[in-house]
Amino acid sequence: MKYNSNFKKVATLENEIEAGLLDSILNDRNIPHAICSYNDLVYDGIYQMVKGWGYVSSTDFYSQEIVDILNDIRKSSNDD
């Protein structure tokens, strides 16, 4: 989804798999969002080690729904 200037950081993502799954669910539900990685080849991934894999951003209207979806993803991955 295209980045929107009204987007704000909603949550930190732990890894690329979590990011891909969240992106897929949000696209299926037509929730506007952007997935951004902290990966930077120049710094050899040091920001990802400190900050997490990346983050999801969206408008305030969808923030809580996105957090709930992300928590469900994390809960289901811990149940396995």
Side-chain angles (χ1 to χ4, degrees):
M1 173 128 330
K2 195 172 191 179
Y3 188 79
N4 180 322
S5 63
N6 294 323
F7 283 6
K8 295 179 181 164
K9 181 178 172 183
V10 174
T12 300
L13 302 171
E14 295 175 359
N15 56 58
E16 189 173 1
I17 295 169
E18 180 179 83
L21 184 54
L22 180 63
D23 185 49
S24 178
I25 293 169
L26 296 179
N27 284 331
D28 287 347
R29 296 184 185 187
N30 294 315
I31 296 174
H33 68 284
I35 302 285
C36 302
S37 170
Y38 287 125
N39 187 23
D40 188 338
L41 295 175
V42 174
Y43 295 105
D44 196 28
I46 195 165
Y47 288 118
Q48 286 182 314
M49 291 173 33
V50 175
K51 293 184 170 186
W53 180 89
Y55 63 94
V56 58
S57 60
S58 187
T59 62
D60 288 337
F61 182 80
Y62 291 102
S63 293
Q64 188 58 52
E65 186 174 359
I66 292 171
V67 168
D68 292 343
I69 292 168
L70 185 57
N71 286 336
D72 288 344
I73 291 170
R74 289 176 176 166
K75 183 178 183 291
S76 68
S77 70
N78 288 332
D79 289 344
D80 295 340

